[in-house]
Amino acid sequence: MVHHWSRDAWASVSANEPVTVALYVAHGFELLALSSALDVFRLANKAAGRIAFRWRTVSHLGEAVRSSCGIVVAVDGDLTQERRYLHQPERPALALVCGDEPDDGRETKVLSAWLRECRQRRIDTGAFGSGVAALAKAGLLNDRKCAVHWEALPAFKERFMRVEAAATIYEVDNDIWTCAGGTAAFDMLVELVKRHCGEPVAVNVGELAVAGRVRTGDERQRLPLLRQHGRLNPTVVKLIELMQRNLASPLTMADLAAAARLSRRQVERLFRNDLGRSPCRYFRELRLEHAKLLLAQSAMPVLEIAVSCGFVSASRFSRCFREAHQIAPHEARSLPAGRFLGASTPKPTIGDTPSDTCSPRSLA
């Protein structure tokens, strides 16, 4: 996680002066992220025994906004008024985006203009979940690190090549706050409370919310395909992370053994004990999941997806993809994204088939 936080970052806000936060809410926003954020501010005020945070919600025209779960939320004002606040004492110290606008709409241009003006006036900016794309479209994340939801990460990286996107819980880079959405908004804003109000207040916020623990920003969002496996051997986790960083490059068993400082046989045994399959099979499942996300969320040709996922040919990729999902890659594109992404990969068997045997040279 990147921190470019100076001790003077909140110099314009005295210890007893409330921090004003403006939250832009777009249609289809994630209700869990918004409610998590607002509750952090509410609980921070309670824990601090004073009004430490004030907030207001904004939409494009001040209209009520429907969330992704269907609940409609009223807002406090429109973006035109919010832009006027930038020249008034009511200006925010932090502007957060909850949800993204369609690319071809006027809303996107107005939202981008507001975000850029906030940065010009040295106002911190941030976003939850899909709102991170709004920051990227405004050009605020170029050459910066940000957190992106794991499901959106492959397409995000292809679209915004100048942004250093990561599947971490949250990131703070140059006073730009980004998180994966969901409960990650809670973790990120508890960090904000800690920096503004002190650690005791932040700890109390977690206690009041009955949070088992508050995660740090650099924690992983998930380890794909490990939903039911419980605690893993640290060496297996290390090798999985190595695989995730090399999806486009064929790793060899020698590479894995060298990274783990173990023999090939020991690496094989660790994967079979913890995951019930060989490193070869697991690496292929990772690459196929990456391909599945790219097919659903990007316009990349199938051949480019095959190459970016480490397959030596389009025919090899199509054959492996069909075996995993019972559908060809080009046919998967005709399905609605939600239906396709919701389909689970068949549960692997404990033993590998002959085709799962790793070659001496490559796991591809």
Side-chain angles (χ1 to χ4, degrees):
M1 180 178 57
V2 177
H3 287 300
H4 290 168
W5 185 267
S6 70
R7 66 179 61 186
D8 298 325
W10 292 97
S12 61
V13 182
S14 68
N16 294 316
E17 184 178 345
V19 174
T20 299
V21 182
L23 298 103
Y24 182 87
V25 186
H27 287 282
F29 74 95
E30 187 181 13
L31 186 61
L32 178 58
L34 179 63
S35 61
S36 295
L38 295 180
D39 251 9
V40 169
F41 298 144
R42 178 184 67 84
L43 293 174
N45 289 347
K46 182 176 181 180
R50 61 182 176 87
I51 303 299
F53 291 90
R54 289 198 178 107
W55 59 89
R56 52 181 178 259
T57 52
V58 182
S59 64
H60 178 59
L61 298 175
E63 76 281 15
V65 184
R66 185 178 297 276
S67 67
S68 58
C69 66
I71 294 178
V72 177
V73 174
V75 299
D76 301 315
D78 58 49
L79 201 51
T80 300
Q81 177 60 54
E82 191 57 43
R83 294 185 72 177
R84 294 195 195 104
Y85 284 144
L86 296 179
H87 308 277
Q88 299 173 6
E90 295 87 353
R91 60 179 284 173
L94 174 64
L96 291 173
V97 182
C98 193
D100 190 24
E101 296 287 3
D103 290 344
D104 56 353
R106 171 175 167 76
E107 296 91 340
T108 293
K109 297 179 180 178
V110 177
L111 176 58
S112 294
W114 175 60
L115 290 171
R116 285 192 289 265
E117 190 171 359
C118 285
R119 292 301 292 171
Q120 291 168 1
R121 295 182 177 279
R122 299 182 180 277
I123 294 171
D124 285 15
T125 52
F128 312 137
S130 63
V132 177
L135 295 180
K137 285 188 286 189
L140 303 188
L141 293 178
N142 290 344
D143 305 316
R144 304 290 182 197
K145 191 169 185 180
C146 69
V148 178
H149 192 282
W150 63 266
E151 192 175 49
L153 187 61
F156 188 97
K157 284 185 172 182
E158 292 295 329
R159 181 179 181 187
F160 302 108
M161 310 241 357
R162 289 188 58 187
V163 180
E164 187 181 350
T168 47
I169 301 299
Y170 65 84
E171 297 288 342
V172 185
D173 190 345
N174 195 34
D175 299 338
I176 299 179
W177 300 70
T178 56
C179 77
T183 57
F186 180 90
D187 301 292
M188 182 176 76
L189 293 178
V190 168
E191 175 67 15
L192 176 70
V193 171
K194 175 183 175 181
R195 298 181 183 194
H196 181 61
C197 302
E199 187 167 7
V201 173
V203 170
N204 200 2
V205 168
E207 292 172 341
L208 290 169
V210 200
R213 71 182 184 95
V214 178
R215 295 169 292 181
T216 59
D218 55 358
E219 292 187 42
R220 297 180 300 273
Q221 294 174 26
R222 71 192 287 257
L223 284 174
L225 312 176
L226 299 183
R227 295 181 181 87
Q228 304 297 326
H229 291 289
R231 187 170 181 84
L232 295 177
N233 185 292
T235 299
V236 173
V237 173
K238 176 183 176 180
L239 293 179
I240 289 172
E241 291 173 339
L242 179 63
M243 291 176 178
Q244 290 173 321
R245 292 194 299 269
N246 291 276
L247 294 176
S249 306
L251 290 170
T252 65
M253 280 299 301
D255 294 329
L256 297 180
R261 297 183 179 180
L262 298 172
S263 68
R264 289 184 51 175
R265 186 181 297 275
Q266 288 172 312
V267 172
E268 288 270 0
R269 185 182 301 115
L270 284 175
F271 268 76
R272 291 188 184 280
N273 287 343
D274 278 21
L275 303 175
R277 61 268 229 189
S278 68
C280 177
R281 183 180 182 120
Y282 188 80
F283 189 40
R284 186 167 69 247
E285 288 174 350
L286 283 180
R287 292 183 289 122
L288 286 172
E289 182 179 59
H290 188 69
K292 182 179 179 181
L293 295 173
L294 286 174
L295 284 168
Q297 299 173 351
S298 78
M300 290 175 64
V302 172
L303 177 59
E304 288 186 21
I305 291 176
V307 172
S308 70
C309 295
F311 289 91
V312 295
S313 67
S315 60
R316 168 67 173 166
F317 167 61
S318 296
R319 184 165 62 254
C320 292
F321 192 89
R322 185 184 289 275
E323 288 176 359
H325 301 294
Q326 290 77 54
I327 189 172
H330 69 276
E331 295 172 333
R333 279 222 154 119
S334 64
L335 296 176
R339 177 184 169 190
F340 177 48
L341 289 176
S344 59
T345 302
K347 184 177 180 180
T349 58
I350 296 299
D352 296 324
T353 65
S355 63
D356 292 323
T357 304
C358 296
S359 70
R361 293 185 304 169
S362 171
L363 297 181

